[in-house]
Amino acid sequence: MGMYRKNRATWLIGLALSGCVISSVAAAAGVESASDSSTPTVSNKLLLTGGVTQVEGSAGGGLTPWAVIGGYGTSDEIGANAFLTHVNLPDYHLDEVGAMVGLYDRVEVSFAQQRFNTEQVGAALGLGRGFTFQQNIIGVKVRLFGDVVLDQDSWLPQVSVGVQHKKNDQAGVLQFIGAKSDEGNDYYVNATKLFLGQSLLVNATLRFTKANQIGILGFGGDRNNSYKPEFEGSVAYLLSRNWAIGAEYRQKPNNLGIAKEDDWYDAFVAWAPNKHVSLTLAYADLGNIVIKDRQRGLYASVQVGF
Amino acid sequence: MFKYSLHATVIATAMLFAQAAMAQDTAPMPEQSAAMAASAPRDPSLKPVFDEFGGRPGLVALMNDFMDNLMADTRTRPYFVDADREHIKVELVDQFCVILDGPCTYSGKDMEKVHRGLGINRAAFNALVEDLQTAMNKHDIPFRAQNKLLAKLAPMHKAVITK
Ligand code: HEM
């Protein structure tokens, strides 16, 4: 709708916030690594090849899941990690916590809880200032074939399939804005390939979804209530063992008549000083969200694992 | 405006990838003799990487630190503690030298035969790669050059990993 307002520069606040998050989790990670020496046989994947945690809790980039199985476990091992993500937009913010377990480099089970705060927009819409949508997501991903790191002599990518079951806690409001359901499943298939000689990782995901703004605004709508295939892609360039930069794209449906939805983009930098901690900072362009256009801001995520 | 520059980034990176892919496609297929099947063949396009490794002397120095790392690492030490480590280093120098199109010949054993009985799993393989990365970092070998070598070693997992 036509109520565009100028962006407020909330960058600094976002940075300060993510700084707090980072330092508190870094402290927690210190405890993690201390216990590591007694268990040298866990977490033996190579650094950064497990990706980070994407916005719905699966291993991947920031916006899109990758075919990798999260955690640094290999085929004989179990790996696990937890994450905190904060996205600071001009008119909204998202806080998220979650955890995942990777089993034998074959199955990944993840849980994420998103809290999407509508700040002043909530007041403008009569929901109350700071009105928050909460969504819980349970994800399962299964690696079908391929090995993202070792298969360097063939074109075969690592391929996985997955489902993300999402449940939003604001059924009443969702119905009011035209969403058909407060819960839904996203199904995806993805292929990830590391071109090691080029230091380049490429991912493509095809997602079948009805979710409005990944489910924050419910599932299905007046304009469309069927599953649509959506394309998602990431490229990451490995700068060193510990640093990667990249960009992502995520196509999205547009099911709600009153709340236009745009495709998402981001450019990110990820840092993994060791296998227990990774930090991801991104500049994300999330386009129009309900009545506010140009939602661009900082995405900060920290992951600790073992 | 940033939106467009982001689009540009995505497109530029995609093109970069396409170019890299094409470069890989047009690279001459390295010939594979039966004897070399389980090892990595010579790749003429890696000659510049050989120089980045400091030639043969660079590889000799690298292998000393690599073997020290393997012995210091609890995940790999058990495999090497009773082996003829000086001999392995010599063979590794020749092998890497050949892969990087250096003026050497590899006269060591077949990869599959030499590793068959060792019971190496994926975790041990990754540990060895990490120890190699650490050694390469110590010798200031550029990350991209490191990855070019690792890309040739990675497929040998089929010969090396048996459990
Ligand atoms: C791509 C990976 C690897 C390459 C290129 C490689 C290369 C070699 C070479 C060239 C030799 C000497 C062959 C000869 O004596 O003629 C060797 C021997 C050996 N390798 Fe590997 N290797 C790899 C992975 C591993 C791993 C992961 C382990 C164990 C953690 C391992 C353990 C050994 C041992 C113990 C020997 C000595 C065996 C003996 O003397 O009987 N290797 N390797």
PDB file of all heavy atoms in Angstrom, chain A residues 224-245:
ATOM      1  N   ASN A 224      -3.772 -16.574  -4.095  1.00  0.00           N
ATOM      2  CA  ASN A 224      -3.315 -17.919  -4.455  1.00  0.00           C
ATOM      3  C   ASN A 224      -3.251 -18.787  -3.206  1.00  0.00           C
ATOM      4  O   ASN A 224      -2.827 -18.330  -2.158  1.00  0.00           O
ATOM      5  CB  ASN A 224      -1.924 -17.844  -5.095  1.00  0.00           C
ATOM      6  CG  ASN A 224      -1.317 -19.214  -5.283  1.00  0.00           C
ATOM      7  OD1 ASN A 224      -1.899 -20.079  -5.941  1.00  0.00           O
ATOM      8  ND2 ASN A 224      -0.170 -19.444  -4.669  1.00  0.00           N
ATOM      9  N   ASN A 225      -3.720 -20.021  -3.354  1.00  0.00           N
ATOM     10  CA  ASN A 225      -3.647 -20.925  -2.201  1.00  0.00           C
ATOM     11  C   ASN A 225      -3.133 -22.300  -2.606  1.00  0.00           C
ATOM     12  O   ASN A 225      -3.560 -23.327  -2.096  1.00  0.00           O
ATOM     13  CB  ASN A 225      -5.023 -21.034  -1.529  1.00  0.00           C
ATOM     14  CG  ASN A 225      -4.944 -21.803  -0.212  1.00  0.00           C
ATOM     15  OD1 ASN A 225      -3.936 -21.747   0.486  1.00  0.00           O
ATOM     16  ND2 ASN A 225      -6.006 -22.544   0.118  1.00  0.00           N
ATOM     17  N   SER A 226      -2.219 -22.318  -3.579  1.00  0.00           N
ATOM     18  CA  SER A 226      -1.658 -23.618  -3.963  1.00  0.00           C
ATOM     19  C   SER A 226      -0.137 -23.556  -3.876  1.00  0.00           C
ATOM     20  O   SER A 226       0.451 -22.474  -3.859  1.00  0.00           O
ATOM     21  CB  SER A 226      -2.096 -23.973  -5.386  1.00  0.00           C
ATOM     22  OG  SER A 226      -1.688 -22.958  -6.271  1.00  0.00           O
ATOM     23  N   TYR A 227       0.489 -24.723  -3.839  1.00  0.00           N
ATOM     24  CA  TYR A 227       1.951 -24.783  -3.773  1.00  0.00           C
ATOM     25  C   TYR A 227       2.551 -24.254  -5.064  1.00  0.00           C
ATOM     26  O   TYR A 227       2.145 -24.627  -6.156  1.00  0.00           O
ATOM     27  CB  TYR A 227       2.406 -26.225  -3.545  1.00  0.00           C
ATOM     28  CG  TYR A 227       2.392 -26.603  -2.086  1.00  0.00           C
ATOM     29  CD1 TYR A 227       1.318 -27.301  -1.540  1.00  0.00           C
ATOM     30  CD2 TYR A 227       3.445 -26.252  -1.265  1.00  0.00           C
ATOM     31  CE1 TYR A 227       1.298 -27.633  -0.189  1.00  0.00           C
ATOM     32  CE2 TYR A 227       3.437 -26.572   0.084  1.00  0.00           C
ATOM     33  CZ  TYR A 227       2.368 -27.267   0.619  1.00  0.00           C
ATOM     34  OH  TYR A 227       2.364 -27.580   1.936  1.00  0.00           O
ATOM     35  N   LYS A 228       3.532 -23.377  -4.905  1.00  0.00           N
ATOM     36  CA  LYS A 228       4.236 -22.829  -6.061  1.00  0.00           C
ATOM     37  C   LYS A 228       5.716 -23.163  -5.922  1.00  0.00           C
ATOM     38  O   LYS A 228       6.265 -23.052  -4.836  1.00  0.00           O
ATOM     39  CB  LYS A 228       4.084 -21.304  -6.086  1.00  0.00           C
ATOM     40  CG  LYS A 228       2.712 -20.812  -6.537  1.00  0.00           C
ATOM     41  CD  LYS A 228       2.736 -20.542  -8.047  1.00  0.00           C
ATOM     42  CE  LYS A 228       1.366 -20.282  -8.635  1.00  0.00           C
ATOM     43  NZ  LYS A 228       0.792 -19.028  -8.181  1.00  0.00           N
ATOM     44  N   PRO A 229       6.370 -23.547  -7.043  1.00  0.00           N
ATOM     45  CA  PRO A 229       7.826 -23.750  -6.962  1.00  0.00           C
ATOM     46  C   PRO A 229       8.544 -22.404  -6.952  1.00  0.00           C
ATOM     47  O   PRO A 229       8.227 -21.533  -7.753  1.00  0.00           O
ATOM     48  CB  PRO A 229       8.141 -24.524  -8.240  1.00  0.00           C
ATOM     49  CG  PRO A 229       7.052 -24.173  -9.184  1.00  0.00           C
ATOM     50  CD  PRO A 229       5.838 -23.795  -8.381  1.00  0.00           C
ATOM     51  N   GLU A 230       9.456 -22.233  -6.038  1.00  0.00           N
ATOM     52  CA  GLU A 230      10.223 -20.985  -5.944  1.00  0.00           C
ATOM     53  C   GLU A 230      11.702 -21.338  -5.984  1.00  0.00           C
ATOM     54  O   GLU A 230      12.136 -22.298  -5.357  1.00  0.00           O
ATOM     55  CB  GLU A 230       9.916 -20.253  -4.634  1.00  0.00           C
ATOM     56  CG  GLU A 230       8.435 -20.015  -4.363  1.00  0.00           C
ATOM     57  CD  GLU A 230       7.818 -18.939  -5.255  1.00  0.00           C
ATOM     58  OE1 GLU A 230       8.577 -18.214  -5.915  1.00  0.00           O
ATOM     59  OE2 GLU A 230       6.571 -18.850  -5.280  1.00  0.00           O
ATOM     60  N   PHE A 231      12.484 -20.526  -6.702  1.00  0.00           N
ATOM     61  CA  PHE A 231      13.914 -20.787  -6.853  1.00  0.00           C
ATOM     62  C   PHE A 231      14.720 -19.982  -5.827  1.00  0.00           C
ATOM     63  O   PHE A 231      14.426 -18.822  -5.566  1.00  0.00           O
ATOM     64  CB  PHE A 231      14.380 -20.427  -8.265  1.00  0.00           C
ATOM     65  CG  PHE A 231      15.863 -20.532  -8.423  1.00  0.00           C
ATOM     66  CD1 PHE A 231      16.462 -21.769  -8.593  1.00  0.00           C
ATOM     67  CD2 PHE A 231      16.677 -19.401  -8.354  1.00  0.00           C
ATOM     68  CE1 PHE A 231      17.841 -21.878  -8.710  1.00  0.00           C
ATOM     69  CE2 PHE A 231      18.053 -19.493  -8.473  1.00  0.00           C
ATOM     70  CZ  PHE A 231      18.629 -20.739  -8.650  1.00  0.00           C
ATOM     71  N   GLU A 232      15.720 -20.636  -5.287  1.00  0.00           N
ATOM     72  CA  GLU A 232      16.631 -19.933  -4.378  1.00  0.00           C
ATOM     73  C   GLU A 232      18.064 -20.278  -4.777  1.00  0.00           C
ATOM     74  O   GLU A 232      18.347 -21.413  -5.121  1.00  0.00           O
ATOM     75  CB  GLU A 232      16.386 -20.377  -2.926  1.00  0.00           C
ATOM     76  CG  GLU A 232      14.955 -20.110  -2.470  1.00  0.00           C
ATOM     77  CD  GLU A 232      14.585 -20.759  -1.143  1.00  0.00           C
ATOM     78  OE1 GLU A 232      15.486 -21.279  -0.454  1.00  0.00           O
ATOM     79  OE2 GLU A 232      13.396 -20.739  -0.808  1.00  0.00           O
ATOM     80  N   GLY A 233      18.931 -19.300  -4.713  1.00  0.00           N
ATOM     81  CA  GLY A 233      20.316 -19.565  -5.103  1.00  0.00           C
ATOM     82  C   GLY A 233      21.304 -18.847  -4.207  1.00  0.00           C
ATOM     83  O   GLY A 233      21.014 -17.772  -3.687  1.00  0.00           O
ATOM     84  N   SER A 234      22.458 -19.463  -4.003  1.00  0.00           N
ATOM     85  CA  SER A 234      23.539 -18.817  -3.265  1.00  0.00           C
ATOM     86  C   SER A 234      24.856 -19.081  -3.972  1.00  0.00           C
ATOM     87  O   SER A 234      25.055 -20.164  -4.533  1.00  0.00           O
ATOM     88  CB  SER A 234      23.716 -19.376  -1.847  1.00  0.00           C
ATOM     89  OG  SER A 234      22.537 -19.809  -1.283  1.00  0.00           O
ATOM     90  N   VAL A 235      25.743 -18.120  -3.899  1.00  0.00           N
ATOM     91  CA  VAL A 235      27.130 -18.353  -4.280  1.00  0.00           C
ATOM     92  C   VAL A 235      27.998 -17.857  -3.139  1.00  0.00           C
ATOM     93  O   VAL A 235      27.698 -16.821  -2.536  1.00  0.00           O
ATOM     94  CB  VAL A 235      27.537 -17.622  -5.576  1.00  0.00           C
ATOM     95  CG1 VAL A 235      27.048 -18.360  -6.794  1.00  0.00           C
ATOM     96  CG2 VAL A 235      27.029 -16.191  -5.588  1.00  0.00           C
ATOM     97  N   ALA A 236      29.024 -18.618  -2.839  1.00  0.00           N
ATOM     98  CA  ALA A 236      29.940 -18.197  -1.785  1.00  0.00           C
ATOM     99  C   ALA A 236      31.359 -18.371  -2.305  1.00  0.00           C
ATOM    100  O   ALA A 236      31.684 -19.385  -2.939  1.00  0.00           O
ATOM    101  CB  ALA A 236      29.741 -19.015  -0.517  1.00  0.00           C
ATOM    102  N   TYR A 237      32.183 -17.376  -2.079  1.00  0.00           N
ATOM    103  CA  TYR A 237      33.577 -17.435  -2.472  1.00  0.00           C
ATOM    104  C   TYR A 237      34.407 -17.574  -1.202  1.00  0.00           C
ATOM    105  O   TYR A 237      34.281 -16.773  -0.277  1.00  0.00           O
ATOM    106  CB  TYR A 237      33.963 -16.172  -3.244  1.00  0.00           C
ATOM    107  CG  TYR A 237      35.390 -16.167  -3.704  1.00  0.00           C
ATOM    108  CD1 TYR A 237      35.808 -17.040  -4.707  1.00  0.00           C
ATOM    109  CD2 TYR A 237      36.328 -15.319  -3.131  1.00  0.00           C
ATOM    110  CE1 TYR A 237      37.125 -17.057  -5.123  1.00  0.00           C
ATOM    111  CE2 TYR A 237      37.650 -15.327  -3.548  1.00  0.00           C
ATOM    112  CZ  TYR A 237      38.040 -16.208  -4.543  1.00  0.00           C
ATOM    113  OH  TYR A 237      39.347 -16.231  -4.942  1.00  0.00           O
ATOM    114  N   LEU A 238      35.210 -18.626  -1.148  1.00  0.00           N
ATOM    115  CA  LEU A 238      36.023 -18.862   0.042  1.00  0.00           C
ATOM    116  C   LEU A 238      37.300 -18.028  -0.051  1.00  0.00           C
ATOM    117  O   LEU A 238      38.083 -18.173  -0.992  1.00  0.00           O
ATOM    118  CB  LEU A 238      36.391 -20.343   0.149  1.00  0.00           C
ATOM    119  CG  LEU A 238      35.216 -21.337   0.085  1.00  0.00           C
ATOM    120  CD1 LEU A 238      35.739 -22.761   0.082  1.00  0.00           C
ATOM    121  CD2 LEU A 238      34.264 -21.111   1.246  1.00  0.00           C
ATOM    122  N   LEU A 239      37.467 -17.134   0.914  1.00  0.00           N
ATOM    123  CA  LEU A 239      38.640 -16.258   0.909  1.00  0.00           C
ATOM    124  C   LEU A 239      39.813 -16.919   1.612  1.00  0.00           C
ATOM    125  O   LEU A 239      40.975 -16.689   1.275  1.00  0.00           O
ATOM    126  CB  LEU A 239      38.324 -14.941   1.615  1.00  0.00           C
ATOM    127  CG  LEU A 239      37.299 -14.036   0.945  1.00  0.00           C
ATOM    128  CD1 LEU A 239      36.922 -12.903   1.872  1.00  0.00           C
ATOM    129  CD2 LEU A 239      37.858 -13.493  -0.359  1.00  0.00           C
ATOM    130  N   SER A 240      39.491 -17.708   2.627  1.00  0.00           N
ATOM    131  CA  SER A 240      40.515 -18.429   3.377  1.00  0.00           C
ATOM    132  C   SER A 240      39.795 -19.572   4.079  1.00  0.00           C
ATOM    133  O   SER A 240      38.602 -19.770   3.887  1.00  0.00           O
ATOM    134  CB  SER A 240      41.186 -17.512   4.401  1.00  0.00           C
ATOM    135  OG  SER A 240      40.306 -17.275   5.481  1.00  0.00           O
ATOM    136  N   ARG A 241      40.521 -20.287   4.924  1.00  0.00           N
ATOM    137  CA  ARG A 241      39.862 -21.351   5.677  1.00  0.00           C
ATOM    138  C   ARG A 241      38.747 -20.799   6.552  1.00  0.00           C
ATOM    139  O   ARG A 241      37.806 -21.492   6.863  1.00  0.00           O
ATOM    140  CB  ARG A 241      40.884 -22.030   6.591  1.00  0.00           C
ATOM    141  CG  ARG A 241      41.486 -23.261   6.003  1.00  0.00           C
ATOM    142  CD  ARG A 241      42.614 -23.701   6.884  1.00  0.00           C
ATOM    143  NE  ARG A 241      42.201 -24.789   7.758  1.00  0.00           N
ATOM    144  CZ  ARG A 241      43.035 -25.434   8.572  1.00  0.00           C
ATOM    145  NH1 ARG A 241      44.292 -25.060   8.638  1.00  0.00           N
ATOM    146  NH2 ARG A 241      42.603 -26.427   9.308  1.00  0.00           N
ATOM    147  N   ASN A 242      38.879 -19.550   6.965  1.00  0.00           N
ATOM    148  CA  ASN A 242      37.973 -18.995   7.971  1.00  0.00           C
ATOM    149  C   ASN A 242      36.983 -17.963   7.449  1.00  0.00           C
ATOM    150  O   ASN A 242      36.058 -17.596   8.156  1.00  0.00           O
ATOM    151  CB  ASN A 242      38.790 -18.337   9.099  1.00  0.00           C
ATOM    152  CG  ASN A 242      39.880 -19.251   9.603  1.00  0.00           C
ATOM    153  OD1 ASN A 242      41.040 -19.103   9.246  1.00  0.00           O
ATOM    154  ND2 ASN A 242      39.494 -20.237  10.393  1.00  0.00           N
ATOM    155  N   TRP A 243      37.189 -17.488   6.240  1.00  0.00           N
ATOM    156  CA  TRP A 243      36.351 -16.407   5.734  1.00  0.00           C
ATOM    157  C   TRP A 243      35.700 -16.767   4.404  1.00  0.00           C
ATOM    158  O   TRP A 243      36.337 -17.318   3.526  1.00  0.00           O
ATOM    159  CB  TRP A 243      37.191 -15.146   5.508  1.00  0.00           C
ATOM    160  CG  TRP A 243      37.667 -14.480   6.750  1.00  0.00           C
ATOM    161  CD1 TRP A 243      38.838 -14.706   7.416  1.00  0.00           C
ATOM    162  CD2 TRP A 243      36.987 -13.449   7.493  1.00  0.00           C
ATOM    163  NE1 TRP A 243      38.917 -13.882   8.518  1.00  0.00           N
ATOM    164  CE2 TRP A 243      37.799 -13.103   8.591  1.00  0.00           C
ATOM    165  CE3 TRP A 243      35.757 -12.782   7.321  1.00  0.00           C
ATOM    166  CZ2 TRP A 243      37.425 -12.128   9.521  1.00  0.00           C
ATOM    167  CZ3 TRP A 243      35.396 -11.817   8.245  1.00  0.00           C
ATOM    168  CH2 TRP A 243      36.220 -11.498   9.334  1.00  0.00           C
ATOM    169  N   ALA A 244      34.434 -16.394   4.281  1.00  0.00           N
ATOM    170  CA  ALA A 244      33.746 -16.551   2.999  1.00  0.00           C
ATOM    171  C   ALA A 244      32.856 -15.336   2.768  1.00  0.00           C
ATOM    172  O   ALA A 244      32.332 -14.754   3.722  1.00  0.00           O
ATOM    173  CB  ALA A 244      32.906 -17.822   2.988  1.00  0.00           C
ATOM    174  N   ILE A 245      32.729 -14.949   1.520  1.00  0.00           N
ATOM    175  CA  ILE A 245      31.768 -13.909   1.180  1.00  0.00           C
ATOM    176  C   ILE A 245      30.816 -14.463   0.136  1.00  0.00           C
ATOM    177  O   ILE A 245      31.147 -15.429  -0.563  1.00  0.00           O
ATOM    178  CB  ILE A 245      32.451 -12.638   0.612  1.00  0.00           C
ATOM    179  CG1 ILE A 245      33.367 -13.007  -0.559  1.00  0.00           C
ATOM    180  CG2 ILE A 245      33.217 -11.890   1.693  1.00  0.00           C
ATOM    181  CD1 ILE A 245      33.880 -11.801  -1.316  1.00  0.00           C
TER     182      ILE A 245
END
